[in-house]
């Protein structure tokens, strides 16, 4: 009897709700069925990888969304790709800045795409259900193999192809995952016939990696191309004639459930404005003498581009 009574009450509540909905539609107060409000997505948790540039771009995304009334929380510097993609999958984060080529190779190690457009198209197909990427920016920041000027001159090395003729043991300073990445130790062997050992340094081409190269502890170092230390130390970035390292355009990777018209519009406008030169400048501010915080660097960039 109790169950039957509860069922009749629930039915009454549903009927009342339906009448209210019809009333709202007839009075013109209902949302158009083809639109989506930012509030329907709830709070968006923005994440970042564990290095400065990722934190800066994450702050740009977060602050741009907040400026348009989207509620945002932050979970920054949570680790490398394996870690933050797991966080995106389990809902710990909803949005993170990514790099197109490396993300494609994470999901498709046999990917043949090389150019920005081809990588982007392949990436959209390779992503698992529930994830999507919005517009990519023209800004690129790729892994790059660097040597000292002295090493380059002594062994006549200007490209990865030249390494095979250098009669010297080679060690690369890079993040631990470089041991298995297609553009890491395996790629050097399969693409260029170069055998190298890995010195794992978990700072994404940061100060410890730079110091290892400067001191001669390693012969090569994986440093992102927008890192000011390359120019500051006169390092030689080796050419990659076989395009082992794919195009690496910065773009938002997001939980599909969090994509609304507002979120998409905001992030696509950010991507349309962000350039490689911007990344270099932002990194210089963050890593320079003044040590501008990612949040402050992002705030200034958004203001300069009328997006804040």
């Amino acid at each position: 009897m109790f169950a039957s009574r509860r069922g009749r009450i629930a039915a009454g509540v549903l009927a009342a709700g339906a009448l209210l909905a019809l009333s709202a539609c007839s009075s013109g107060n209902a949302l158009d069925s083809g639109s989506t409000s930012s509030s329907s997505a709830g709070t968006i948790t923005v994440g970042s990888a564990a290095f400065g540039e990722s934190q800066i771009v994450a702050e740009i995304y977060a602050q741009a969304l907040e400026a348009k009334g989207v509620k945002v929380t932050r979970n920054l510097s949570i680790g490398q790709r394996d870690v933050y993609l797991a966080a995106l999958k389990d809902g710990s984060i909803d949005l993170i800045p990514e790099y197109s080529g490396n993300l494609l190779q994470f999901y498709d190690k046999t990917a043949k795409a090389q150019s920005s457009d081809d990588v982007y198209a392949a990436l959209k197909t390779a992503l698992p259900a529930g994830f999507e990427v919005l517009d990519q920016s023209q800004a690129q920041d790729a892994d790059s193999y660097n040597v000292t000027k002295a090493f380059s001159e002594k062994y006549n090395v200007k490209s990865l192809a030249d390494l095979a003729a250098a009669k010297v043991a080679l060690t690369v300073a890079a993040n631990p995952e470089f041991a298995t990445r297609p553009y890491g130790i395996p790629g050097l062997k399969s693409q260029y016939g170069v055998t190298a050992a890995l010195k794992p340094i978990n700072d994404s081409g940061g100060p410890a990696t730079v110091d290892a190269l400067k001191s001669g502890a390693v012969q090569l170092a994986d440093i992102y191309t927008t890192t000011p230390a390359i120019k500051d130390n006169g390092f030689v970035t080796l050419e990659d004639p076989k395009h082992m390292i794919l195009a690496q355009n910065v773009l938002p990777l997001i939980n599909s459930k969090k994509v609304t018209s507002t979120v998409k519009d905001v992030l696509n406008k950010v991507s349309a404005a962000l350039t490689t030169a911007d990344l270099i400048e932002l990194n210089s501010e963050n890593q320079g003498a003044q040590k501008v915080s990612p949040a402050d660097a992002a705030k200034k960039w958004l203001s300069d581009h009328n997006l804040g």
Side-chain angles (χ1 to χ4, degrees):
M1 181 181 293
F2 178 77
S4 175
R5 180 183 178 190
R6 184 172 59 187
R8 290 197 299 273
I9 292 172
V13 171
L14 288 172
L19 288 172
L20 286 172
L22 287 171
S23 176
C25 289
S26 64
S27 63
N29 291 330
L31 289 172
D32 177 61
S33 60
S35 67
T36 311
S37 68
S38 60
S39 61
S40 68
T43 300
I44 292 182
T45 300
V46 180
S48 83
F51 60 96
E53 181 176 287
S54 183
Q55 294 167 28
I56 293 168
V57 179
E59 276 289 350
I60 288 175
Y61 291 169
Q63 293 181 34
L65 289 169
E66 288 173 330
K68 294 300 181 180
V70 179
K71 188 175 181 181
V72 171
T73 59
R74 292 161 174 78
N75 186 3
L76 305 183
S77 195
I78 57 177
Q80 301 304 323
R81 184 165 285 107
D82 307 69
V83 177
Y84 63 67
L85 289 181
L88 189 67
K89 184 176 181 179
D90 70 22
S92 301
I93 61 172
D94 304 307
L95 166 67
I96 192 164
E98 254 292 5
Y99 300 87
S100 58
N102 285 353
L103 185 60
L104 172 61
Q105 286 188 321
F106 183 90
Y107 289 112
D108 181 4
K109 291 180 172 55
T110 64
K112 302 299 183 184
Q114 295 178 350
S115 70
S116 292
D117 289 344
D118 288 348
V119 168
Y120 182 62
L123 175 59
K124 289 196 289 185
T125 300
L127 288 175
F131 291 5
E132 62 184 271
V133 288
L134 302 182
D135 288 356
Q136 64 178 351
S137 68
Q138 60 175 295
Q140 288 202 51
D141 184 10
D143 292 79
S144 68
Y145 286 83
N146 294 267
V147 299
T148 62
K149 184 178 180 181
F151 181 94
S152 174
E153 293 176 348
K154 181 177 180 178
Y155 294 101
N156 194 29
V157 171
K158 295 181 180 178
S159 81
L160 292 174
D162 296 333
L163 288 172
K167 303 303 181 182
V168 60
L170 298 173
T171 300
V172 184
N175 282 337
E177 60 266 26
F178 219 64
T180 58
R181 291 290 187 259
Y183 51 87
I185 301 300
L188 278 178
K189 183 66 175 178
S190 63
Q191 297 281 342
Y192 290 102
V194 174
T195 299
L198 175 66
K199 181 178 178 60
I201 301 178
N202 201 17
D203 74 344
S204 299
T209 299
V210 170
D211 287 345
L213 184 58
K214 287 170 61 178
S215 70
V218 299
Q219 292 71 48
L220 302 107
D222 174 41
I223 304 174
Y224 298 137
T225 52
T226 59
T227 303
I230 294 176
K231 181 180 179 180
D232 293 346
N233 291 282
F235 294 154
V236 177
T237 299
L238 301 183
E239 296 174 7
D240 177 19
K242 294 188 176 182
H243 304 287
M244 178 177 70
I245 299 171
L246 308 185
Q248 303 291 348
N249 295 78
V250 178
L251 75 179
L253 174 65
I254 188 168
N255 180 334
S256 298
K257 293 179 180 178
K258 298 292 182 173
V259 179
T260 67
S261 56
T262 298
V263 169
K264 182 181 290 188
D265 180 63
V266 168
L267 296 179
N268 284 347
K269 284 180 178 177
V270 167
S271 290
L274 189 65
T275 67
T276 301
D278 289 337
L279 293 181
I280 295 172
E281 182 177 353
L282 289 164
N283 287 330
S284 296
E285 292 171 356
N286 178 239
Q287 299 170 27
Q290 298 300 318
K291 300 291 182 186
V292 178
S293 71
D296 287 343
K299 182 178 181 180
K300 181 179 182 300
W301 185 88
L302 287 166
S303 176
D304 290 344
H305 292 81
N306 297 316
L307 292 171

